[in-house]
Amino acid sequence: FAQSRGLVLLIRKGNPCNITTVSDLLRDDVRVACSNPTKEKSSFGVYSETLSNLARSEGGDDLADAMLKRLSDMSMPHSGRAHHREIPQLIASDMADVAPIYYHLALRYTTIFPEQFEFIPLGGTKHDPRPGPEHKLITYFVSVVKENEGDWGDKFAEFMASSEVADIYQAKGLKSLLQ
């Protein structure tokens, strides 16, 4: 029913580290926070694969390898269990300068905390992200298990396929696959 709209770089308001490209994440003065590679394998895989692909586009295989190494370096800040909650806190508490994050999450953080955060698009603009082929996109599905049949499952699936839900998810930063 929906698909992610790629990654962005979540930063502190005002961009104090002057981060402009993916290769800036490899600078010694930039602390990169990322989801935990062992406890959050799915999000870490999306983030590391996308940033590695973008780094390869910027500077070849050596830059891509350096990016993977940097993101996997456990001396850098990582989330413990729930990156979507912990990553903004790492930046807000000055334990990190930047973090790769799904566009829809960055949109939420910058809406709720506009004085603390902003983000750098990695394709397109802040209002119209256009992730390129380097981005690993996530597709979200709805399914109904029919074991204990009841009307609620089918009604939920029907609701999730409605234009009302498509509009909500679109407004929250996901791409609707229903329209």
Side-chain angles (χ1 to χ4, degrees), residues 125-146:
T125 67
K126 289 183 179 183
H127 301 290
D128 185 23
R130 300 209 177 231
E134 302 89 356
H135 287 253
K136 183 173 182 178
L137 303 179
I138 302 299
T139 301
Y140 301 95
F141 296 90
V142 172
S143 66
V144 176
V145 177
K146 291 282 192 175

Side-chain angles (χ1 to χ4, degrees), residues 9 12 19 26 29 31 36 61-62 72 82 102 106 124 133 158 171:
L9 299 177
R12 230 181 333 287
I19 295 165
L26 298 173
D29 65 321
R31 297 165 298 168
N36 191 300
D61 289 339
D62 289 343
S72 300
Y102 295 111
E158 185 179 310

Side-chain angles (χ1 to χ4, degrees), residues 72-178:
S72 300
D73 180 355
M74 291 308 287
S75 69
M76 297 297 275
H78 287 83
S79 58
R81 295 199 182 276
H83 80 281
H84 61 280
R85 293 183 186 139
E86 298 169 26
I87 292 297
Q89 180 62 39
L90 289 170
I91 294 172
S93 63
D94 198 28
M95 295 177 70
D97 302 306
V98 60
I101 200 94
Y102 295 111
Y103 169 76
H104 64 275
L105 294 176
L107 186 62
R108 178 149 177 82
Y109 305 145
T110 56
T111 300
I112 294 173
F113 305 109
E115 298 304 314
Q116 283 193 291
F117 302 113
E118 59 185 275
F119 65 88
I120 300 167
L122 297 174
T125 67
K126 289 183 179 183
H127 301 290
D128 185 23
R130 300 209 177 231
E134 302 89 356
H135 287 253
K136 183 173 182 178
L137 303 179
I138 302 299
T139 301
Y140 301 95
F141 296 90
V142 172
S143 66
V144 176
V145 177
K146 291 282 192 175
E147 271 190 30
N148 294 318
E149 287 191 48
D151 290 341
W152 66 269
D154 289 334
K155 288 180 182 177
F156 176 73
E158 185 179 310
F159 173 69
M160 293 302 291
S162 71
S163 60
E164 179 182 356
V165 168
D167 292 345
I168 291 168
Y169 279 103
Q170 193 89 2
K172 300 298 182 186
L174 292 169
K175 177 182 175 184
S176 172
L177 298 178
L178 304 174

Side-chain angles (χ1 to χ4, degrees), residues 34-45 78-84 86-87:
C34 197
S35 52
N36 191 300
T38 56
K39 295 179 181 173
E40 294 184 287
K41 292 179 183 180
S42 293
S43 60
F44 180 81
H78 287 83
S79 58
R81 295 199 182 276
H83 80 281
H84 61 280
E86 298 169 26
I87 292 297

